[in-house]
Amino acid sequence: MLADQIKKHRRAAGLTQSQFAEEFHVATGTIGMWETGKREPNSRTLVKLAHFFGISVDDLLSGGPAGHGEEAGAAGRVPVYAALRAGQPGEALGEVVGYEAFPAAAEKSGVYFGLRIPDGAMYPEYQTGDIVIARRQDSARDGEDAVVSVGGEDAALRRILRAPEGLLLLPLNAVSVAPSFYSERQVRALPVRILGVCVEMRRKKDLPEGRS
C-alpha cells in the first residue's frame, strides 16, 4: 500500500512527519493523510517523493527496500546525479546515473545523495569527475560546501560565505570561475536554493587504458 511505503521510507530517512513536511515543503497534515491513506499524492508528487528518497517510482509503489537508493537498508546506498536542479519548492530534478555505497545513510538521520562534479570550478580540492555525498537540506552554515541551484539552473558545488547584505558563492578555482554574490532580495527572487551540504568527497582512481 502506498501509504505504508511513504511511512516506511520516511522513517528510514530518520525523519518525523513534521521534519519531513518541512524538508518536502508541504503541510504536516498532508503527510499524515498520505500515510493513513486518506489522500494520495498525484503523479507529479510521486516523482518528487521518489527523488527525495533516492529510489524509483516503481520501488515506491511496489514496496522496494526502505532507505536511500537500490539495496539501501543496511548496505546504505545513495543515488548519484550527473546534474541536479531545483524546480518548485521541495522538488529536485535530475537523472540518476549510478549509486554509491554510503553506510551512514542507513545509520544517520536525514536523506543523502551524490553529485558528480562536472568541471574544475572547485579545483584543487575537488576535481572533475569526483563525487560528493551531500545531506539534503535547504540551509548551510558559513564556510560549508553546498550544492546550490540558482534560478532553477543545474546545481553546482560552491563554498558558502554569508554576509549581512547577502550570500557569496565561492568557487575554489577563482581563476576560471568568478565568485557570485547575491543580495537577500536576489536570493528570494531568483531564487538561490541550497539542495544539500557536502559531507564526503570520493575520487575514483584512473585505470590504465584497457582496464576496467
Side-chain angles (χ1 to χ4, degrees), residues 154-166:
D154 285 353
L157 184 70
R158 293 291 185 267
R159 188 150 293 169
I160 302 295
L161 294 179
R162 295 190 175 276
E165 62 275 16

Side-chain angles (χ1 to χ4, degrees), residues 7 10 30 35 46 58 64 73 86 95 100 111 121 134 141 169 173 187 199-200 203 208:
K7 182 186 295 185
R10 189 259 302 167
T30 299
E35 294 188 355
L46 280 174
D58 285 344
E95 180 184 356
E100 282 284 313
V111 177
R141 292 176 294 184
L169 304 184
N173 186 1
V187 169
V199 297
E200 185 176 311
R203 180 167 299 150

Side-chain angles (χ1 to χ4, degrees), residues 14-25:
L15 299 172
T16 64
Q17 283 190 350
S18 59
Q19 289 171 334
F20 179 34
E22 182 178 358
E23 291 202 22
F24 202 66
H25 298 276

